[in-house]
């Protein structure tokens, strides 16, 4: 598997090029020497370990403190080894609804996440939804990106923020209850909001991509999977609340548009409510891979999802999935390794190496 040319070197990841080579083979559903492994789990950065009780405005000040946010990240990776396909990545993050906030929606902050305050109370508010480069959230992401690049010194990768255009953006503007009624009672209003939520995506994506590329960085975001080309994570978590017919009519068209921008698209399939749309997603050639997020409780363990994972694999798509280390042996027995990327939540270096050694024998 031949990589596009690159001179990127990362001080904290001396085997970066070898790991990147495995990722590019994985994009093609191939294996060089073993399955790629990332030693962190989906959403582990959102595990609450902070006991400070701030109000939303104080939390916003914490999130907006550019120097402290970047400096804390640098301290976190000091003397840390990044084994396998675990990459040191700083990605500027103001919360999952920040794309909606570019259009005037306000965000409220807590310690580990933020959420939008719906800003479309009725149809007359739609005309107020205008993307503005001088928006406080857009400017802060620029600042976080530039400062992280300035402080980098080849110690880590700098990525771009979480971008959710399309239906998830409309959901943030309108709120879940109202948008569900809108789909039945005012579908043209929904289409109008979808159009607004989608039309600036190419500009916004390429704005941040160009900052990274002109500074010699690649395309990467919260999933921690790099691309020397253009990488994107399309999603529609709102799909769990609507029928497949509504998904095809309202959610799918903006997804089809947004995946045209990237060379590597990994669709974030968040649970069984979204998975009911898997067939139409597997038919999209621009989707490189599926990230399967199984959920917790009755949606564990992973073995109950083997038929779905095999279906994705047989459709020629690569797969990202979480795997507990105690599930590893059973999973290996049930699956062939082609096209799989495993995310294993394990911080101990010796245990990480043991897992690598076991997967090398798969």
């Amino acid at each position: 598997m031949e990589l596009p040319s690159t001179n990127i070197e990362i001080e904290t990841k001396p085997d970066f090029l070898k790991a990147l080579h495995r990722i590019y083979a994985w994009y093609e559903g191939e294996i060089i020497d073993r399955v790629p492994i990332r030693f962190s789990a989906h959403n582990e950065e959102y595990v609450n370990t902070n006991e400070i009780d701030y109000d939303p405005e104080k939390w916003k000040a914490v999130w907006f403190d550019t120097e402290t946010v970047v400096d804390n990240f640098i301290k976190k990776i000091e003397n840390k080894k990044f084994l396998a396909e675990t990459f040191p990545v700083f990605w500027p993050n103001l919360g999952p609804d920040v794309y909606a906030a570019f259009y005037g929606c306000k965000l409220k902050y807590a310690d580990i996440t933020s959420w939008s305050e719906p800003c479309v109370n009725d149809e007359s508010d739609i005309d107020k939804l205008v993307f503005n480069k001088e928006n406080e959230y857009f400017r802060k992401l620029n600042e976080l990106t530039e400062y992280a690049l300035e402080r980098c010194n080849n110690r880590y990768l700098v990525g771009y923020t979480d971008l959710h255009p399309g239906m998830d953006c409309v959901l943030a503007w309108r709120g879940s209850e109202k948008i569900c009624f809108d789909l039945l009672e005012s579908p043209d209003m929904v289409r109008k909001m979808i159009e607004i939520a989608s039309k600036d995506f190419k500009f916004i994506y390429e704005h941040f991509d160009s900052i990274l590329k002109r500074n010699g960085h690649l395309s990467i975001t919260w999933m921690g999977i790099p691309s020397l080309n253009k990488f994107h994570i399309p999603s529609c978590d709102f799909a769990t609340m609507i029928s497949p017919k509504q998904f095809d009519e309202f959610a799918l068209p903006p997804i089809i548009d947004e995946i045209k921008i990237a060379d590597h698209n990994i669709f974030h399939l968040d649970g069984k409510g979204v998975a009911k749309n898997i067939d139409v997603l597997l038919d999209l050639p621009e989707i490189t891979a599926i990230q399967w997020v199984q959920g917790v409780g009755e949606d564990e363990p992973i073995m109950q999802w083997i038929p779905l994972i095999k279906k994705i694999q047989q459709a020629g798509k690569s797969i990202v999935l979480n795997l507990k280390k105690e599930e590893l042996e059973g999973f290996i027995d049930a699956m062939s390794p082609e096209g799989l990327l495993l995310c294993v939540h394990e911080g101990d270096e010796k245990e990480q190496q043991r897992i690598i050694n076991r997967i090398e024998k798969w």
Side-chain angles (χ1 to χ4, degrees):
M1 178 63 59
E2 186 174 346
L3 287 176
S5 61
T6 178
N7 57 2
I8 296 175
E9 294 182 358
I10 305 175
E11 181 182 304
T12 54
K13 181 71 175 162
D15 63 340
F16 170 72
L17 286 179
K18 182 65 174 179
L20 186 61
H21 201 168
R22 291 191 188 99
I23 293 295
Y24 264 74
W26 172 79
Y27 283 139
E28 301 296 327
E30 300 173 4
I31 296 174
I32 296 175
D33 52 359
R34 61 161 171 78
V35 165
I37 314 160
R38 177 188 173 196
F39 286 112
S40 59
H42 173 64
N43 276 350
E44 77 171 26
E45 63 268 29
Y46 293 114
V47 176
N48 188 355
T49 58
N50 202 325
E51 297 180 357
I52 299 174
D53 186 19
Y54 285 161
D55 63 36
E57 281 304 309
K58 283 188 177 180
W59 277 121
K60 180 180 178 181
V62 172
W63 285 65
F64 273 57
D65 185 345
T66 299
E67 292 188 7
T68 300
V69 168
V70 175
D71 291 350
N72 284 345
F73 170 80
I74 293 172
K75 290 176 185 176
K76 183 180 177 181
I77 67 169
E78 283 180 357
N79 302 316
K80 181 176 179 180
K81 286 189 176 181
F82 294 88
L83 299 186
E85 286 60 61
T86 313
F87 299 94
V89 183
F90 175 84
W91 59 282
N93 176 30
L94 295 179
D97 289 336
V98 72
Y99 186 95
F102 294 160
Y103 292 78
C105 197
K106 294 295 183 183
L107 300 180
K108 280 195 170 183
Y109 284 86
D111 49 355
I112 56 174
T113 192
S114 67
W115 61 95
S116 61
E117 293 185 306
C119 57
V120 178
N121 296 310
D122 55 51
E123 193 164 1
S124 66
D125 289 330
I126 294 178
D127 291 337
K128 301 175 186 176
L129 297 171
V130 178
F131 168 65
N132 181 3
K133 290 189 292 184
E134 297 306 312
N135 172 283
E136 64 171 327
Y137 302 101
F138 194 80
R139 287 190 292 108
K140 178 55 64 174
L141 286 171
N142 280 336
E143 184 179 294
L144 283 163
T145 304
E146 296 286 2
Y147 186 69
L149 289 165
E150 179 185 322
R151 295 293 313 281
C152 178
N153 293 325
N154 294 330
R155 288 175 290 180
Y156 53 86
L157 300 170
V158 178
Y160 66 94
T161 197
D162 196 6
L163 296 174
H164 294 274
M167 279 302 301
D168 282 346
C169 178
V170 173
L171 173 65
W173 288 339
R174 188 73 168 128
S176 58
E177 184 175 342
K178 288 182 178 178
I179 193 63
C180 286
F181 279 109
D182 293 340
L183 287 169
L184 298 174
E185 299 172 355
S186 306
D188 287 342
M189 176 178 166
V190 177
R191 292 187 186 95
K192 186 175 181 180
M193 287 189 286
I194 291 171
E195 181 180 357
I196 296 169
S198 303
K199 69 177 182 179
D200 298 304
F201 173 69
K202 184 175 187 291
F203 172 84
I204 292 168
Y205 177 92
E206 292 189 342
H207 170 84
F208 292 110
D209 184 69
S210 65
I211 294 174
L212 300 177
K213 295 292 175 55
R214 69 172 174 256
N215 282 276
H217 283 249
L218 38 64
S219 189
I220 194 168
T221 184
W222 60 265
M223 199 178 288
I225 298 175
S227 172
L228 294 166
N229 307 95
K230 290 183 178 180
F231 177 94
H232 175 51
I233 305 173
S235 64
C236 185
D237 291 358
F238 180 58
T240 194
M241 302 178 68
I242 59 178
S243 70
K245 182 179 178 182
Q246 289 172 319
F247 179 86
D248 291 350
E249 182 177 355
F250 294 97
L252 187 60
I255 290 171
I256 291 172
D257 283 342
E258 69 183 83
I259 60 180
K260 293 175 182 176
I261 193 69
D263 304 282
H264 297 125
N265 291 286
I266 301 181
F267 191 91
H268 169 67
L269 195 71
D270 198 351
K272 58 192 175 189
V274 185
K276 63 194 176 190
N277 303 290
I278 188 64
D279 289 337
V280 70
L281 294 170
L282 293 178
D283 282 341
L284 298 177
E286 294 87 355
I287 290 181
T288 311
I290 301 290
Q291 183 202 27
W292 169 236
V293 183
Q294 69 192 52
V296 296
E298 67 178 15
D299 293 326
E300 296 179 314
I302 191 68
M303 298 304 291
Q304 66 184 296
W305 302 109
I306 291 295
L308 174 65
I309 296 167
K310 285 185 174 181
K311 180 175 185 175
I312 297 169
Q313 190 180 47
Q314 290 163 4
K317 305 294 186 186
S318 296
I319 310 159
V320 184
L321 53 88
N322 279 359
L323 194 67
K324 295 179 179 179
K325 62 182 181 180
E326 58 267 26
E327 298 174 322
L328 186 60
E329 291 301 328
F331 188 81
I332 286 175
D333 287 343
M335 291 293 304
S336 59
E338 289 76 18
L340 299 181
L341 189 155
L342 306 182
C343 299
V344 183
H345 182 47
E346 177 56 60
D348 181 77
E349 185 182 328
K350 289 183 178 179
E351 186 63 12
Q352 289 180 359
Q353 190 59 59
R354 185 195 71 78
I355 292 169
I356 292 170
N357 293 342
R358 173 63 185 94
I359 290 177
E360 284 176 342
K361 299 175 183 177
W362 189 0

